[in-house]
Amino acid sequence: AQTVTQSQPEMSVQEAETVTLSCTYDTSESDYCLFWYKQPPSRQMILVIRQEAYKQQNATENRFSVNFQKAAKSFSLKISDSQLGDAAMYFCAYRSRSGGSNYKLTFGKGTLLTVNP
Amino acid sequence: NAGVMQNPRHLVRRRGQEARLRCSPMKGHSHVYWYRQLPEEGLKFMVYLQKENIIDESGMPKERFSAEFPKEGPSILRIQQVVRGDSAAYFCASSLQGYNEQFFGPGTRLTVL
């Protein structure tokens, strides 16, 4: 079974600075997707960024980018120019793209990000 | 173009009562997923349904929990004889196909007194 580990329960960053959230995962599959979700105090789950494992290029969405290291099974999220609205719980998630469970998302326990003004 | 809708947003039940959580998928989506988020935890998969069919219920407790997605109307997650350990946030997601991106609803927070 796949597992997702987020080793940082909490992180903080100064407004306008850069922060990196860590995520590692364990899988024996070669074809999968990785995601970062943001959960603000409203609890709504918002997709921040996704990475297909077959793509070598790291995904980027405006101020959000990932460092995907497939061999190391590492998938970190970098937030540049942090804003107060970035404060939230961030979840890393895995989904297989093959086999019979290619719909099931497996989440880490989350990292609570605080942004200091 | 409404997103995934869940109601109620907050539900309070006493031990032994029944809880019914509703989820209306995005327009055009016929695949629905339920996840549970316990305090201090990430979301955990419970069940995957298509219209009138349960595809995968491997994450759902064997007793007291059931889910349906009828031909007409919302998907329902039903918890009978609730216990304090059922207190959690329950999220519904929907997708166009089973392998497409899942869009999440705002969740229902269940509190069992």
Side-chain angles (χ1 to χ4, degrees):
Chain A
Q2 292 79 20
T3 58
V4 176
T5 302
Q6 293 179 249
S7 58
Q8 306 154 316
E10 297 182 26
M11 291 282 284
S12 64
V13 64
Q14 290 296 126
E15 198 175 0
E17 297 292 308
T18 295
V19 65
T20 299
L21 308 184
S22 301
C23 172
T24 58
Y25 58 95
D26 187 25
T27 184
S28 58
E29 298 176 328
S30 59
D31 192 11
Y32 51 87
C33 270
L34 296 164
F35 306 83
W36 279 98
Y37 283 88
K38 172 185 178 181
Q39 188 180 48
S42 67
R43 288 197 163 260
Q44 175 78 51
M45 292 290 286
I46 302 164
L47 178 63
V48 174
I49 199 166
R50 66 180 286 165
Q51 174 81 42
E52 311 281 346
Y54 66 83
K55 290 185 179 178
Q56 292 189 334
Q57 188 170 4
N58 288 325
T60 299
E61 288 288 342
N62 301 313
R63 299 183 294 107
F64 298 86
S65 61
V66 298
N67 183 4
F68 173 48
Q69 302 288 329
K70 191 171 184 179
K73 296 180 183 173
S74 169
F75 182 60
S76 60
L77 174 70
K78 185 170 87 170
I79 306 174
S80 304
D81 186 24
S82 298
Q83 300 175 0
L84 294 177
D86 295 333
M89 184 72 87
Y90 286 81
F91 292 98
C92 179
Y94 170 103
R95 194 183 81 198
S96 171
R97 281 171 48 93
S98 59
S101 297
N102 61 354
Y103 47 82
K104 192 182 297 187
L105 286 164
T106 301
F107 288 86
K109 288 192 174 185
T111 296
L112 180 62
L113 178 66
T114 302
V115 180
N116 301 310
Chain B
N1 189 13
V4 178
M5 300 177 68
Q6 290 187 249
N7 66 80
R9 292 293 308 275
H10 301 275
L11 183 61
V12 179
R13 286 287 178 266
R14 296 192 179 279
R15 280 178 295 171
Q17 292 184 319
E18 179 179 288
R20 280 185 181 238
L21 288 63
R22 293 175 183 76
C23 169
S24 296
M26 283 182 70
K27 189 175 181 181
H29 287 190
S30 59
H31 298 251
V32 164
Y33 316 82
W34 286 92
Y35 293 82
R36 178 165 68 172
Q37 185 180 27
L38 294 169
E40 313 296 326
E41 296 282 329
L43 279 68
K44 290 217 170 23
F45 170 82
M46 297 181 75
V47 62
Y48 165 32
L49 310 105
Q50 292 181 33
K51 286 282 188 181
E52 300 185 277
N53 287 305
I54 297 175
I55 307 302
D56 181 355
E57 55 182 350
S58 60
M60 205 143 73
K62 294 287 185 281
E63 297 180 356
R64 302 187 299 107
F65 285 71
S66 62
E68 63 176 8
F69 189 16
K71 187 176 180 181
E72 301 291 336
S75 175
I76 307 284
L77 179 67
R78 183 182 178 207
I79 311 172
Q80 295 178 289
Q81 299 172 356
V82 296
V83 300
R84 290 227 173 102
D86 297 332
S87 294
Y90 292 82
F91 288 89
C92 168
S94 74
S95 68
L96 199 57
Q97 299 288 345
Y99 50 83
N100 287 144
E101 180 182 344
Q102 294 177 21
F103 293 83
F104 282 84
T108 293
R109 184 177 291 191
L110 173 65
T111 301
V112 179
L113 301 177

